[in-house]
Amino acid sequence: MISTDALEKMNPLWKSIALLLISLIATFDYKPFLATVLVLIAVAITLFFTRQKLSEFGFFLAPFLIIGGGYVFIILLTRYLSGENIQLINTLSIATRMILVAAYSYLFVKTTKPEELVLTLITYFRMPVSWGYGFLSAYRFLPNFKNELEIIQYAHKVRGIEVGNNILTRITKARIYLIPLLTTAIRKGVRVTIAMETKGFGKFESRTTFRPLQITRRDLLSFTTFLCIIVFVIVVMTALDLTQFRLLYTDT
């Protein structure tokens, strides 16, 4: 039985392939119907196969709904005022494709640990180890930089230094924050470099991992099921003339 956290436990390789497949569908299909059905499938996956809350999923997609809706409205209004063919179906597909990619990107990001993503890139996509762990170190530093920025801001307030709420003033006075943050970044970077060198990082061609990635039968079953559903939906909707796959966009 597939558990409610099946997507969190799945090998990131299969999730990467699924996201690539969805991106290709969103790129070459110029009708909104297939994208809409795939978004509904993403909602079902969020409900039954992840530990993510549907409210957070909807909150994440809300900006894309607003941007996509506004974009569609502007295009339709511009074509109407200029007397051109409105092309409602093709215009709506722009918004649905945007929402489609955003929905599956959310699932990928929320259910994939950064460490597993880096190991996937190194193991399966042959990314250099130095690049992978460099990316992971930078990712680890981001929360620390946020804390450092808050400490600097509090220190300035204690000393009576007020930046103000004006956006232009904040931009012009950003250097009072940048210099301490750069100093902290350099100091942390040197410490990480020394630690990696003392542990022999990069000396050997192959590396061992504490939790090696494995391709399990459950992953194969889950991905195969998802792939079969996608293919079935595409075949049915194509037979009903609800898809329009093209390499290049045309006005017809």
Side-chain angles (χ1 to χ4, degrees):
M1 182 177 178
I2 300 178
S3 60
T4 55
D5 60 346
L7 200 58
E8 280 87 353
K9 296 179 179 179
M10 180 182 286
N11 191 312
L13 173 65
W14 304 114
K15 290 186 281 188
S16 302
I17 297 175
L19 181 59
L20 177 61
L21 175 62
I22 294 297
S23 301
L24 291 175
I25 293 173
T27 301
F28 297 114
D29 183 26
Y30 289 94
K31 286 188 177 181
F33 309 109
L34 177 60
T36 303
V37 173
L38 294 180
V39 170
L40 294 178
I41 293 176
V43 173
I45 293 174
T46 305
L47 280 174
F48 299 108
F49 303 113
T50 70
R51 290 177 292 183
Q52 307 301 318
K53 295 181 180 179
L54 191 60
S55 58
E56 295 180 357
F57 182 69
F59 182 76
F60 175 82
L61 290 184
F64 295 95
L65 288 169
I66 296 173
I67 295 173
Y71 190 65
V72 169
F73 174 76
I74 292 174
I75 292 178
L76 293 177
L77 180 63
T78 303
R79 289 182 173 177
Y80 175 76
L81 295 176
S82 61
E84 298 180 7
N85 186 10
I86 293 180
Q87 299 178 0
L88 179 61
I89 298 299
N90 287 342
T91 306
L92 287 176
S93 69
I94 298 174
T96 55
R97 288 185 289 168
M98 181 190 305
I99 296 170
L100 173 62
V101 175
Y104 283 88
S105 298
Y106 171 87
L107 291 177
F108 180 83
V109 172
K110 286 294 186 177
T111 60
T112 305
K113 297 179 181 178
E115 298 87 351
E116 294 180 350
L117 177 60
V118 171
L119 286 177
T120 300
L121 296 174
I122 294 173
T123 305
Y124 302 111
F125 296 98
R126 302 303 179 186
M127 173 184 281
V129 177
S130 57
W131 291 16
Y133 283 93
F135 166 78
L136 186 60
S137 299
Y139 179 84
R140 292 283 189 176
F141 282 156
L142 290 178
N144 294 332
F145 288 148
K146 181 180 179 181
N147 295 333
E148 290 287 342
L149 178 60
E150 292 178 352
I151 292 173
I152 295 171
Q153 289 175 339
Y154 290 145
H156 286 172
K157 288 182 179 180
V158 169
R159 290 167 174 81
I161 302 175
E162 293 290 341
V163 177
N165 296 324
N166 192 308
I167 297 178
L168 294 177
T169 305
R170 287 178 175 272
I171 295 175
T172 55
K173 293 187 177 182
R175 65 180 184 276
I176 64 177
Y177 299 133
L178 289 178
I179 295 176
L181 285 176
L182 287 175
T183 303
T184 302
I186 294 172
R187 187 183 300 116
K188 290 181 179 295
V190 171
R191 291 175 180 173
V192 171
T193 302
I194 295 174
M196 294 171 72
E197 289 182 354
T198 54
K199 294 177 181 178
F201 181 82
K203 183 178 180 180
F204 305 99
E205 295 182 358
S206 60
R207 293 180 57 85
T208 58
T209 57
F210 181 68
R211 293 189 180 94
L213 295 176
Q214 296 179 352
I215 298 178
T216 62
R217 292 182 179 179
R218 183 179 60 185
D219 292 342
L220 289 173
L221 177 61
S222 301
F223 180 77
T224 304
T225 304
F226 173 77
L227 187 61
C228 291
I229 293 173
I230 298 299
V231 171
F232 175 77
V233 171
I234 292 176
V235 170
V236 171
M237 298 191 73
T238 302
L240 297 175
D241 196 25
L242 297 177
T243 61
Q244 189 180 38
F245 288 99
R246 292 182 180 179
L247 294 177
L248 297 176
Y249 175 78
T250 59
D251 292 336
T252 58

